[in-house]
Amino acid sequence: MKKRGNFFLNIMTSGKPLFSRDEATMDTMVRYILLNSMIFLGCTLLVLFGYESMQRGAVYQAAFDFSMAGMTLVGFVILRTAAPFIISGFMTVVPYMMLCIFLAISGGPQGSGVLWAYSFPLLSIFLLGMKSGTVLSILLLGGISAALYVPGLSPVEFHPSFAFRTVGVYILVLVCTMVYEQTKITKDRWVARLTRTLEAERDEMATMKDNLKTGLFLMDKDFVIQPHYSRSMETVLSETNLSGKNFLDVLSNSVQGKEKETLRDYFTMVYNKSYDAQMLEDINPLYQFNYVSVTHAEEKFLRCSFVPIDRDDGNVYILGTVDDLTREVELRRQLDEEENRRQDQMRAMFEVIHVEPRVLNDFIVDTEYEFDRINELLKDK
């Protein structure tokens, strides 16, 4: 069943890979489906009309119908090639216009053949665009007007009131179609400009995000890291492919047992906005902590902060930031060690300064005596 559906879709889309969800691609796919539908319907009707003309002995009419049907089939083949869409569009829309003129002239049951023309502006403008579609629609308007008003052109004699209403309704359909198409063109241009603006802003945000030294990420209510985290996250955490991982699992080497449950409770409070932002920041158990990478067992000193984020779709996520304080902590430790060493030296100096003068004088005399002995020994050598 699936293969049959895929085969049918392949036929209707002319084998084009049109499965993207963006609006432009969907619009193109609709055009292909509509054009192929017109080809199948128009070709079938033209063949039937040609056969009917052959039965009546109208050889030239039959030849015309069969040639128009062949033209639509050629358009179907061309549509499956790399040729521009507009070529197949013309090769299908023009025969359909001829078919509408033929139906208008032949009259049909109670003169209803002319009613087929009402669908032409919609199809021609949608498939060929505003300019080409409007030109062909005006040509068809001339054809059906001639069939309605020129005596002897059609075997059916149309009442002037019917002819006036038919032409008036056709013009109304044409004008409404043109207004709609122009509105759509304007809307598409506006959407395209807006899309370009949004893409530029997205690229700027991505550039800023990926060049931050701070790790940024979103996690859902189950504490699962979302795909669009900053590039520095992997560097800070010494882990790769964080998307889809549970943040608590990433911290499994850094927090144990009860601490993990405390973290779970804290994240739940952040998600539910149980307290104000300042309170949540004050009780943050990961404000500063020793981190051990799960994959590489690399030890770091990190600082994290978390805030709830409301999305436009109604979902709530937790925005997390992670800073690597390892270098700062190491420098602070070195400064503390240097400060302690300096304090020890100062303390020793003060102890020397504060000894009794007699003891200090004996120390100086002994030192001078030792220096003199060293000098004498060096001179003897």
Side-chain angles (χ1 to χ4, degrees):
M1 186 69 180
K2 186 176 180 180
K3 288 185 177 179
R4 186 181 302 173
N6 290 340
F7 174 76
F8 177 75
L9 186 61
N10 181 275
I11 292 294
M12 298 305 292
T13 58
S14 299
K16 300 295 190 295
L18 304 172
F19 301 104
S20 175
R21 293 186 177 182
D22 63 273
E23 185 176 357
T25 303
M26 292 298 295
D27 186 65
T28 302
M29 184 171 70
V30 171
R31 291 177 188 271
Y32 272 97
I33 292 175
L34 179 59
L35 183 55
N36 279 300
S37 300
M38 282 188 62
I39 289 174
F40 295 138
L41 178 61
C43 183
T44 302
L45 289 176
L46 286 168
V47 169
L48 291 176
F49 291 150
Y51 177 76
E52 188 266 340
S53 298
M54 288 287 291
Q55 295 295 318
R56 290 189 292 105
V59 179
Y60 292 110
Q61 180 64 51
F64 175 78
D65 292 336
F66 286 135
S67 63
M68 290 295 100
M71 190 173 176
T72 59
L73 288 177
V74 172
F76 173 76
V77 174
I78 293 177
L79 200 59
R80 299 185 69 85
T81 66
F85 177 87
I86 194 72
I87 295 178
S88 295
F90 269 107
M91 297 185 71
T92 304
V93 173
V94 170
Y96 185 64
M97 182 183 70
M98 297 299 182
L99 174 63
C100 290
I101 294 175
F102 168 74
L103 292 172
I105 293 175
S106 63
Q110 299 181 354
S112 61
V114 72
L115 300 179
W116 281 73
Y118 292 149
S119 63
F120 185 79
L122 300 170
L123 298 174
S124 63
I125 291 178
F126 179 73
L127 292 173
L128 303 180
M130 176 68 82
K131 293 182 180 179
S132 300
T134 301
V135 170
L136 291 180
S137 297
I138 293 174
L139 290 176
L140 178 58
L141 175 61
I144 62 175
S145 297
L148 292 170
Y149 287 106
V150 176
L153 185 60
S154 172
V156 179
E157 184 177 350
F158 296 99
H159 192 278
S161 177
F162 176 82
F164 177 76
R165 285 180 172 84
T166 300
V167 172
V169 172
Y170 181 88
I171 293 174
L172 176 63
V173 172
L174 174 59
V175 171
C176 290
T177 304
M178 293 172 63
V179 171
Y180 172 80
E181 186 67 16
Q182 186 59 48
T183 303
K184 183 177 180 297
I185 291 172
T186 303
K187 185 265 295 182
D188 289 343
R189 289 174 180 170
W190 179 81
V191 170
R193 286 196 300 269
L194 180 61
T195 301
R196 288 193 297 269
T197 301
L198 292 176
E199 288 177 349
E201 292 179 355
R202 180 198 62 191
D203 293 341
E204 290 177 2
M205 293 295 294
T207 301
M208 289 188 291
K209 178 188 69 175
D210 290 337
N211 285 280
L212 285 174
K213 293 183 178 180
T214 299
L216 293 174
F217 69 101
L218 288 175
M219 59 180 176
D220 60 17
K221 62 180 180 180
D222 297 319
F223 320 131
V224 174
I225 299 174
Q226 301 303 296
H228 301 294
Y229 55 83
S230 65
R231 189 179 302 168
S232 57
M233 271 286 291
E234 296 185 352
T235 303
V236 172
L237 296 178
S238 300
E239 299 286 347
T240 58
N241 301 321
L242 293 169
S243 176
K245 291 184 178 180
N246 191 291
F247 188 58
L248 292 177
D249 293 337
V250 176
L251 301 179
S252 58
N253 278 5
S254 308
V255 293
Q256 305 295 330
K258 191 174 181 180
E259 294 177 338
K260 194 170 185 178
E261 291 302 318
T262 301
L263 269 182
R264 190 184 302 275
D265 293 339
Y266 173 73
F267 289 150
T268 302
M269 286 190 292
V270 173
Y271 183 85
N272 294 328
K273 305 175 187 176
S274 303
Y275 301 97
D276 60 75
Q278 186 58 52
M279 175 65 74
L280 291 172
E281 185 65 24
D282 291 341
I283 63 175
N284 180 9
L286 297 181
Y287 179 71
Q288 290 183 353
F289 71 105
N290 289 312
Y291 169 77
V292 181
S293 168
V294 174
T295 304
H296 305 287
E298 183 178 355
E299 296 187 15
K300 294 184 177 182
F301 197 81
L302 305 182
R303 177 173 60 204
C304 296
S305 63
F306 306 93
V307 292
I309 298 294
D310 294 315
R311 298 285 290 269
D312 292 337
D313 56 7
N315 292 322
V316 178
Y317 290 87
I318 298 176
L319 173 64
T321 63
V322 185
D323 290 296
D324 187 356
L325 304 180
T326 305
R327 182 60 178 165
E328 296 178 23
V329 172
E330 181 65 23
L331 289 174
R332 190 180 302 117
R333 185 184 62 79
Q334 293 177 3
L335 288 174
D336 290 342
E337 291 178 355
E338 186 64 28
E339 179 66 18
N340 291 334
R341 185 163 53 251
R342 189 179 65 84
Q343 291 291 342
D344 291 341
Q345 292 174 349
M346 291 295 294
R347 190 178 301 108
M349 183 178 295
F350 278 117
E351 288 177 356
V352 171
I353 293 174
H354 287 86
V355 297
E356 294 183 7
R358 182 179 60 80
V359 175
L360 179 59
N361 185 61
D362 291 342
F363 173 76
I364 294 174
V365 171
D366 291 340
T367 302
E368 290 178 348
Y369 173 75
E370 293 297 332
F371 278 135
D372 290 339
R373 285 187 58 196
I374 293 172
N375 285 332
E376 291 296 330
L377 290 173
L378 291 175
K379 288 178 181 180
D380 292 340
K381 292 183 178 181

